[in-house]
Amino acid sequence: MNNSSIVGISVPRKEGQDKVTGRAQYIDDIVLPGMWYGATVRSTIPRGRIKQITFGAEVAWDDYVIVSAKDIPGKNCIALIAEDQPCLAENCINHPEEPILLLAHADRHALAKAVNAISIEYDPSPAVLTLEESERCCDIIWGSDNTFKTYVIQKGDIDSAWAKAAYIVEGEYRTGAQEQLYIENNGMIAWFDPEHGITVWGSLQCPYYVHKALMTLCQLPAERVRVVQVETGGAFGGKEDYPSMIAGHAALLAIKTRKAVKIIYDRLEDMAATSKRHPSRTRHRTAVSKDGKILGGTIDFTIDGGAYTTLSPVVLSRGAIHAGGPYYWPSVRITAKALATNAPPHGAFRGFGAPQSLFAMERHMDRIAQIIGASPIVVRQRNFLKPGQTTITEQAVREPIDLEKLLDRALELSSYQSRKESFAEENESGEIKKGIGVAAFLHGAGFTGSGERYLGSVVGVEACADGAVRVLVSSTEFGQGTKTALSQVAAETLGLGYEDVDVAPADTMEVPNSGPTVASRTVMVVGSLVCSAALGIRHALRQSGWLGDSYSPEEFRAACRNYVAAHGALRSWSRYEAPPDIFWDDEKHRGEAYAAFAWAVYIASVRVDLTTYTVSVDDFVALQEVGRVLHPVLAAGQITGGVAQGIGLSLYEKVIWQNGRMQNSQMTNYIMPTSLDVPPIRVFFEELGNVHGAFGAKGIGELPIDGPAPAIANAVADALGAPCDCVPLLAEDIFDILTTRVATADRSGSPSR
Amino acid sequence: MRSNPRDYQLVAPGTLHAVLSLLAEAPGKWLPIAGGTDLMVLYGAGKLAARNLVSIWSLPELRGIEVLPDQVRIGAGCTYAELREHPVIAREFPLLARAASWTGGTANQNRGTIGGNIVNASPAADSLPALLVYEAELILVSVRGERRVPYLGFHTGYKTTQLAGDELLRAVCLARQFSECLHHTRKVGARSAQAIAKVAIAALGGVAGGRVQEVRIALASVAPVPLRLFETERAVKGKSIDKCLLAAARRATVSEIRPIDDIRSTARYRSAVSSNLVEEFLRRLSAGAPI
Amino acid sequence: MSNSHEISGRREFCFTVNGERKTVPAYPMERLLDVLRHQLRLTGTKEGCGEGECGSCAVLMDGILVNSCLVPLLQAQNANILTIEGLAGAGLHNLQQAFLHCGGTQCGICTPGMILAALYLLKKNPFPTIEDIREGLSGSLCRCTGYMQIFEAVEEAARRQTSDEV
């Protein structure tokens, strides 16, 4: 057997050559013979009824194919969790940019003018545009009380906590909507023929989500729907649910035109119409002992789901479970709600609710520190979860995590103490105020609770006629390195070279459902299944006598070739099975929420310029424990990328809403960080090992977006000596904080007795 | 892409004379396009109203920076990249060189032109406060001949100018008389690169005998046009810079700007930052610090 | 109806792309980006924003870095264009290797424009400081990497390029 390790080595990215040479084919690069182009006609109001649709006389409509809700063969919905979101609005409009009609034409240039030539008259109704309006229930826009989902997580006896408290600390924290801003806009191509059914190719994360949605929409059996992911130019959760909508639209046009139809969004449409990170409001009320120990508290976590359910219940769940941070709560009651507003539905974005609730938790820790007169470091140290203690869902911490040690190392790496001292001195004069802030946090890897059991993911590994090994998964590559990491896992498992293994295209005709590529689950959950499926191949080769007990990679390839020549295809399947000792009560959100957590401490150093009220991040230390690092370059790239997005969330990226509609849907006015806006992002790993994932790896993808916003807001608050409880913190927000600070200072904390 | 190329006409006559003749045939019909960094954005978004365009990109008569003994003459087709790299501009007109380096990224600096920046007439344009401070003169040309107009006053309102329908901006002239002055500039954008100014300042001045001898201040994005702060200059000129004067300068600044709330910022913020920037300039002037 | 607006017919445009002379029938206001992608099927040049903000469509035109979404075809008449497809010779270009090695490409959609921006930077400034690199690439947006590994790649390419020349 080949003893040289592949796991832990930065092997070349599988599809890397194609990407650096421009050969990689993304959806807009693909042209099918006779292909037409599709476009979407959307609502311009947040809520109301369609009165009349007029087709302007300046367009030769006979040259177009037009699809409305009446053309839908199956159910008019995007099947996901609930079935409340129509694929095309028929009468009722529930948000701006809601799809109403579809157009197709042979000439892509002929579409924009036609979309503009359609005028829609509405009977508008009052719209619900904020969480507070939704809560008041003056207008009911969803269900009986505008609430998609409520969770209550209860642990211990809170009443006695209030009684024992030396301080009761309250705070309210908010985060804004954030656009994923993958640089490749959404796009799909669909093709239909009565015999084969519908095929779509597209930029997407979850082939089987799209598959399910198309079966319902087109009323087709599973075998007559085929979904193929092509090279995908970034996703970050933004291509988890909305691609089902676009695939549905392309499919409807393909069915009616009997041609291949391509729909590519431009940036304006992609930003305005597709999902964003849920805006949130978190209220903390915490009982704290004299020496800074958390005794208990309540956390009200509320998110704005937009107009339809989409993924909001799941985002809410993850946000709620992370709301207590990496701390021990003897008692707590978390009330989590996802509310409806007349905005386009908010959806998945890296972190999935956790960045919102962790922002609140980590800002609140600094508030507790301020109110009890301790340092933010000490307050965290006093409350860190320790092995053997239980989380807010009463999950026992089994990993040997030492958060105090992690914090100490991060403090050292960031020169925390010496910076703190020199900043205090420097801040005494001048217009530049410097600050340093800490965030400690955790992120659960994989689906929550019983989620993985319900998914029942299946992975295949195939021995090919040429001797190579192929991994068969619906887990998709969109920049994170799925193909590379899963190839490493299979190669390491089998003692093969990295080049002996490849990953099959994510095509539902070819690969089983290994679950969606979300929730930091790919390497940990799918990777483990790849290991066992790969072992199944080896077992079969040995059983059949083609492979000995020890072998070289060349002998293994020969065994594959011989086996396939003699017996035909060799595939080995592995299905997820939940460990037997796992308990999870979904109703009460109690028990083993995650198979593993990743842990981290991030520290940001910032400067605020009081001439312009702008903040810049000077240094960023990201220290995390993510189990075994399978690929150092890819892992570091996940962290730096997540931190940069987190810097965007903290300081730059603000969606400006008017009547439920995004006003700044361009890259020139929705501001993401450029190469001049990121500090040196210094990445460090601790490796404790973990029994759950492939070769001890845990999830890594989402973790890095949880920490930057609280670390940066804490640093800005440190610099200004004023609370910064909402992100993003644009210069205008800093200006508002400073000019209204007298009115709001210290309104929130009071000694209770 | 929200426009249909077949709906648009674009011609490139190749010489200044031919372009001017075309403009003269039907004044107002043809819209000149240079590097396209403004117009092609509108075109892509389906918002370019003009259907007939005449390319002036690389017209030889509009290129180049001519250094004369008493002035520098910058061709309207000069790109930001050329401006920021030119040694005389960098040395004697640093406000302009800095502004050029702040406009877009490298690719847009390679295509965007100073003439385009002036004629596009955005109140947020990066190079315009510098031109106000240097009291640039513009050379406008048509088949009727050339005329020189002061840049100050060229912008008559939001996105409107003195340019006649048959005229082209040919060059920008700067008098070489500021080498003794302190030059100060700062742009406040939403990020460090590729940002449109929320507020920007360009200023120059000199102090002699403890008193402000020369002072010129201009701001972007605080009025429908790039604004020269004459009131503030008057409040400062001939006086010594102390706390009292700084307060007076701040008051004058706030009284003569007309900032608005828009998608990029708020009037309140712009107003506060404008006076901060003016104060910062005056403090540096007082300290004798260069930019 | 649309014929009433049809004021400028298609005609032939000539230019050189990646060393090959090309003649394409097109309208003069077609974007260079679209002509490269649709007519010439050089799809390595990407569209990210269509307004010159993201740099994904960057190409070199007569040696100058430009955003091809903002170039009307007429202005590329007789020009010499280099796209990502023309960069590699027998093997990968130095920059392509460095991007691969350092993790400078993740989803890959910004990569062609980013590599061409880096190429232009190194051409003008073979010994860039980290600040030069940050500024030189500030017109190319990347959402995946947080830029760190891109900076490393450009530094590595610069080192290799200078050591090759020595």
Side-chain angles (χ1 to χ4, degrees):
Chain A
M1 269 211 275
N2 183 359
N3 285 327
S4 73
S5 181
I6 293 164
V7 156
I9 302 296
S10 294
V11 292
R13 175 183 276 280
K14 278 286 174 193
E15 75 297 351
Q17 281 239 4
D18 285 345
K19 285 177 174 173
V20 298
T21 53
R23 280 198 300 266
Q25 291 282 292
Y26 299 78
I27 190 64
D28 197 22
D29 303 337
I30 296 167
V31 175
L32 297 184
M35 187 171 79
W36 279 33
Y37 297 86
T40 314
V41 179
R42 299 174 181 280
S43 61
T44 50
I45 62 160
R47 185 163 171 243
R49 297 184 84 80
I50 298 169
K51 263 166 71 180
Q52 200 183 331
I53 300 179
T54 311
F55 292 81
E58 67 273 30
V59 171
W61 293 107
D62 288 349
D63 299 344
Y64 293 79
V65 165
I66 300 166
V67 161
S68 72
K70 291 186 190 69
D71 295 298
I72 294 171
K75 201 166 173 188
N76 182 8
C77 74
I78 303 302
L80 190 61
I81 293 173
E83 296 192 341
D84 58 335
Q85 183 178 26
C87 179
L88 291 170
E90 222 165 335
N91 295 311
C92 292
I93 297 300
N94 286 305
H95 65 80
E97 307 292 335
E98 186 159 12
I100 297 170
L101 296 174
L102 305 168
L103 307 179
H105 194 279
D107 177 3
R108 67 201 157 84
H109 289 313
L111 288 163
K113 195 189 277 179
V115 169
N116 290 334
I118 295 175
S119 49
I120 303 178
E121 214 183 309
Y122 303 96
D123 228 343
S125 315
V128 170
L129 300 170
T130 64
L131 285 177
E132 286 70 23
E133 285 171 27
S134 183
E135 272 169 338
R136 280 199 293 274
C137 284
C138 292
D139 291 286
I140 299 297
I141 58 166
W142 199 91
S144 60
D145 59 356
N146 292 342
T147 306
F148 293 122
K149 188 79 188 174
T150 305
Y151 289 109
V152 178
I153 304 176
Q154 186 121 19
K155 178 190 181 189
D157 173 13
I158 302 168
D159 293 338
S160 74
W162 303 132
K164 281 186 282 186
Y167 302 92
I168 292 173
V169 183
E170 291 181 287
E172 181 180 301
Y173 312 92
R174 286 174 186 262
T175 63
Q178 186 186 19
E179 163 61 32
Q180 294 87 356
L181 211 68
Y182 31 73
I183 306 293
E184 181 210 24
N185 289 311
N186 271 290
M188 290 281 165
I189 298 174
W191 174 75
F192 176 78
D193 86 82
E195 191 189 340
H196 299 95
I198 195 85
T199 303
V200 301
W201 295 262
S203 178
L204 55 96
Q205 284 177 247
C206 310
Y208 279 95
Y209 279 7
V210 177
H211 189 263
K212 174 184 167 181
L214 288 176
M215 282 167 60
T216 310
L217 181 76
C218 302
Q219 207 174 25
L220 287 169
E223 65 276 11
R224 287 175 66 216
V225 175
R226 179 183 174 197
V227 179
V228 186
Q229 185 229 14
V230 298
E231 203 70 71
T232 295
F236 316 111
K239 294 171 184 173
E240 178 172 348
D241 64 308
Y242 207 88
S244 297
M245 175 75 82
I246 309 167
H249 292 166
L252 294 173
L253 286 170
I255 291 169
K256 193 155 180 181
T257 57
R258 291 299 160 94
K259 295 180 188 305
V261 176
K262 181 194 262 192
I263 297 180
I264 302 288
Y265 286 0
D266 65 10
R267 184 59 61 184
L268 288 162
E269 182 172 23
D270 196 298
M271 285 236 240
T274 75
S275 62
K276 303 188 173 22
R277 184 185 299 291
H278 289 72
S280 78
R281 183 195 67 203
T282 309
R283 291 178 177 147
H284 274 264
R285 184 163 194 266
T286 314
V288 183
S289 75
K290 216 167 119 188
D291 61 350
K293 274 208 159 160
I294 293 173
L295 303 171
T298 57
I299 306 172
D300 291 331
F301 177 59
T302 311
I303 60 172
D304 176 349
Y308 298 109
T309 310
T310 64
L311 291 161
S312 290
V314 203
V315 172
L316 183 71
S317 161
R318 183 171 284 267
I321 292 170
H322 287 75
Y327 304 109
Y328 176 63
W329 292 77
S331 67
V332 70
R333 186 174 62 244
I334 298 169
T335 310
K337 274 187 182 182
L339 300 180
T341 62
N342 294 114
H346 297 295
F349 188 166
R350 192 181 208 167
F352 213 68
Q356 291 94 318
S357 63
L358 283 166
F359 170 74
M361 182 71 249
E362 283 303 277
R363 271 300 297 143
H364 194 61
M365 287 307 275
D366 270 31
R367 170 156 298 158
I368 291 173
Q370 189 205 347
I371 283 171
I372 72 167
S375 87
I377 305 304
V378 167
V379 169
R380 285 179 174 80
Q381 284 166 339
R382 297 245 159 96
N383 291 288
F384 275 143
L385 269 170
K386 294 179 179 60
Q389 290 181 330
T390 59
T391 67
I392 54 163
T393 66
E394 296 180 52
Q395 171 173 4
V397 177
R398 298 210 187 95
E399 301 171 59
I401 182 69
D402 185 343
L403 286 167
E404 287 196 40
K405 207 174 117 197
L406 206 66
L407 176 62
D408 285 344
R409 189 175 167 208
L411 293 174
E412 196 183 310
L413 289 166
S414 64
S415 310
Y416 182 87
Q417 275 313 335
S418 61
R419 278 198 185 159
K420 192 94 181 152
E421 283 157 26
S422 67
F423 289 175
E425 207 169 299
E426 290 170 49
N427 286 351
E428 277 174 19
S429 62
E431 296 300 296
I432 303 292
K433 304 294 173 201
K434 292 182 179 174
I436 187 162
V438 176
F441 55 102
L442 76 177
H443 199 99
F447 264 38
T448 303
S450 320
E452 291 293 344
R453 186 165 36 201
Y454 292 138
L455 273 180
S457 297
V458 177
V459 161
V461 171
E462 179 180 29
C464 302
D466 63 355
V469 167
R470 280 212 314 172
V471 175
L472 307 174
V473 287
S474 65
S475 307
T476 48
E477 167 69 53
F478 41 88
Q480 351 77 301
T482 299
K483 284 186 176 173
T484 305
L486 294 183
S487 297
Q488 283 179 286
V489 167
E492 181 85 25
T493 303
L494 296 173
L496 300 178
Y498 170 67
E499 58 290 345
D500 295 329
V501 180
D502 208 347
V503 176
D507 173 345
T508 56
M509 290 275 276
E510 300 281 330
V511 298
N513 187 354
S514 61
T517 308
V518 303
S520 309
R521 65 185 291 277
T522 300
V523 166
M524 189 181 87
V525 179
V526 180
S528 298
L529 298 174
V530 169
C531 285
S532 47
L535 290 174
I537 290 283
R538 185 163 71 190
H539 184 71
L541 292 175
R542 281 180 175 153
Q543 288 287 102
S544 60
W546 293 110
L547 188 68
D549 278 348
S550 67
Y551 55 87
S552 68
E554 181 42 47
E555 285 164 345
F556 191 95
R557 286 193 294 271
C560 291
R561 282 194 297 271
N562 292 335
Y563 184 103
V564 176
H567 311 288
L570 172 58
R571 294 197 183 98
S572 159
W573 307 102
S574 177
R575 176 183 286 273
Y576 177 84
E577 279 172 38
D581 55 342
I582 295 291
F583 164 77
W584 175 254
D585 179 338
D586 199 45
E587 190 58 33
K588 293 187 171 147
H589 261 46
R590 183 183 296 163
E592 303 275 319
Y594 298 102
F597 289 96
W599 311 85
V601 177
Y602 285 6
I603 300 186
S605 302
V606 304
R607 67 174 63 210
V608 188
D609 183 334
L610 295 186
T611 302
T612 60
Y613 312 101
T614 47
V615 181
S616 51
V617 185
D618 289 341
D619 183 45
F620 201 98
V621 167
L623 170 64
Q624 46 260 306
E625 192 286 309
V626 295
R628 178 111 180 255
V629 174
L630 300 189
H631 189 300
V633 167
L634 288 184
Q638 283 299 295
I639 304 301
T640 52
V643 168
Q645 285 180 351
I647 290 171
L649 170 68
S650 314
L651 298 177
Y652 299 100
E653 298 179 29
K654 185 174 220 161
V655 175
I656 298 167
W657 299 103
Q658 194 177 61
N659 252 338
R661 191 176 206 194
M662 183 182 191
Q663 297 302 296
N664 52 332
S665 56
Q666 293 171 267
M667 279 186 163
T668 180
N669 47 32
Y670 181 84
I671 304 297
M672 69 162 268
T674 70
S675 53
L676 281 171
D677 300 299
V678 288
I681 301 169
R682 301 191 283 137
V683 179
F684 305 92
F685 294 101
E686 289 276 344
E687 295 185 65
L688 297 178
N690 163 49
V691 293
H692 293 277
F695 300 99
K698 296 191 282 198
I700 189 175
E702 295 172 286
L703 178 81
I705 194 121
D706 294 342
I712 289 167
N714 285 339
V716 176
D718 180 50
L720 299 179
C724 300
D725 296 335
C726 304
V727 285
L729 287 164
L730 270 52
E732 289 79 3
D733 303 304
I734 300 287
F735 173 66
D736 286 344
I737 287 169
L738 291 176
T739 49
T740 55
R741 69 198 277 193
V742 182
T744 57
D746 282 1
R747 66 178 140 69
S748 46
S750 57
S752 66
R753 46 181 166 164
Chain B
M1 230 281 278
R2 299 193 176 187
S3 292
N4 192 340
R6 74 178 63 188
D7 294 339
Y8 291 83
Q9 183 162 346
L10 173 62
V11 297
T15 65
L16 179 62
H17 177 74
V19 169
L20 295 178
S21 305
L22 188 70
L23 294 181
E25 272 173 29
K29 178 183 173 187
W30 294 90
L31 183 66
I33 178 172
T37 53
D38 287 310
L39 296 181
M40 290 301 284
V41 175
L42 293 176
Y43 173 69
K47 291 179 180 164
L48 181 59
R51 294 299 163 112
N52 302 291
L53 296 104
V54 52
S55 176
I56 54 169
W57 176 250
S58 77
L59 266 191
E61 296 90 335
L62 302 186
R63 302 302 296 238
I65 297 171
E66 203 181 342
V67 179
L68 305 169
D70 59 340
Q71 60 169 302
V72 169
R73 189 178 147 134
I74 303 166
C78 194
T79 64
Y80 301 112
E82 288 161 352
L83 275 177
R84 68 181 287 194
E85 284 162 15
H86 195 277
V88 175
I89 302 289
R91 197 169 56 240
E92 297 183 30
F93 306 97
L95 303 180
L96 190 55
R98 292 285 284 276
S101 76
W102 287 331
T103 308
T106 307
N108 288 346
Q109 288 174 15
N110 283 337
R111 291 274 296 169
T113 64
I114 187 159
N117 210 216
I118 296 169
V119 173
N120 187 55
S122 162
D126 287 314
S127 65
L128 303 187
L131 298 184
L132 283 176
V133 162
Y134 294 136
E135 294 189 351
E137 271 197 318
L138 306 182
I139 299 176
L140 310 181
V141 62
S142 68
V143 288
R144 296 175 282 126
E146 277 192 1
R147 60 177 177 134
R148 282 173 90 107
V149 299
Y151 168 61
L152 188 72
F154 178 70
H155 291 136
T156 50
Y158 180 72
K159 292 233 166 193
T160 57
T161 72
Q162 292 177 354
L163 200 69
D166 64 344
E167 269 181 325
L168 201 61
L169 173 59
R170 179 166 191 171
V172 181
C173 300
L174 303 176
R176 301 179 68 184
Q177 59 185 36
F178 306 109
S179 49
E180 301 301 308
C181 290
L182 275 171
H183 302 243
H184 173 85
T185 185
R186 190 156 180 195
K187 172 176 173 177
V188 184
R191 61 184 164 200
S192 303
Q194 300 244 83
I196 289 171
K198 298 192 224 188
V199 188
I201 186 172
L204 58 77
V207 177
R211 290 177 187 281
V212 176
Q213 294 303 308
E214 171 74 84
V215 62
R216 298 179 189 184
I217 306 170
L219 296 177
S221 295
V222 294
V225 297
L227 198 67
R228 179 85 181 266
L229 301 189
F230 288 114
E231 294 298 323
T232 309
E233 291 172 11
R234 258 195 292 279
V236 166
K237 204 162 183 178
K239 307 221 169 77
S240 61
I241 299 172
D242 56 21
K243 254 190 162 157
C244 193
L245 186 78
L246 292 175
R250 292 182 71 100
R251 281 196 301 276
T253 300
V254 170
S255 74
E256 70 183 313
I257 62 175
R258 281 165 287 153
I260 56 165
D261 286 338
D262 65 9
I263 201 165
R264 299 185 194 278
S265 192
T266 64
R268 233 167 72 76
Y269 171 85
R270 284 178 159 130
S271 183
V273 171
S274 295
S275 41
N276 288 353
L277 291 174
V278 168
E279 177 174 338
E280 182 182 62
F281 160 62
L282 293 174
R283 282 180 184 278
R284 289 196 175 167
L285 189 60
S286 152
I291 54 169
Chain C
M1 288 297 291
S2 63
N3 289 346
S4 64
H5 294 297
E6 199 162 316
I7 45 190
S8 178
R10 258 155 92 103
R11 60 186 185 85
E12 294 205 321
F13 291 88
C14 300
F15 50 98
T16 303
V17 183
N18 301 330
E20 279 180 47
R21 195 82 188 139
K22 301 282 182 187
T23 303
V24 293
Y27 296 95
M29 270 297 274
E30 286 195 58
R31 303 181 303 175
L32 175 60
L33 169 67
D34 293 327
V35 173
L36 291 172
R37 288 179 53 80
H38 295 275
Q39 262 113 307
L40 301 176
R41 300 293 302 136
L42 292 168
T43 54
T45 306
K46 306 298 183 189
E47 174 164 4
C49 68
E51 55 175 356
E53 283 286 323
C54 74
S56 301
C57 67
V59 300
L60 296 192
M61 184 163 92
D62 294 328
I64 298 289
L65 188 78
V66 301
N67 287 322
S68 63
C69 73
L70 301 184
V71 178
L73 185 63
L74 181 72
Q75 293 183 346
Q77 175 84 300
N78 297 322
N80 196 344
I81 311 283
L82 178 74
T83 72
I84 190 70
E85 289 90 346
L87 194 56
L92 291 182
H93 184 274
N94 195 15
L95 269 163
Q96 290 169 317
Q97 277 175 11
F99 267 66
L100 265 185
H101 180 244
C102 298
T105 184
Q106 284 192 27
C107 84
I109 198 82
C110 75
T111 305
M114 191 70 79
I115 287 179
L116 288 169
L119 181 76
Y120 182 70
L121 169 70
L122 293 183
K123 204 179 78 172
K124 294 191 76 172
N125 179 359
F127 306 102
T129 63
I130 180 70
E131 286 315 315
D132 295 336
I133 294 172
R134 282 171 177 273
E135 205 212 321
L137 301 183
S138 65
S140 302
L141 299 180
C142 171
R143 190 61 157 170
C144 291
T145 62
Y147 303 104
M148 297 298 125
Q149 293 174 331
I150 292 173
F151 301 156
E152 285 168 32
V154 177
E155 285 175 325
E156 182 175 302
R159 274 196 305 273
R160 280 199 212 163
Q161 159 188 282
T162 43
S163 65
D164 287 353
E165 280 162 9
V166 174

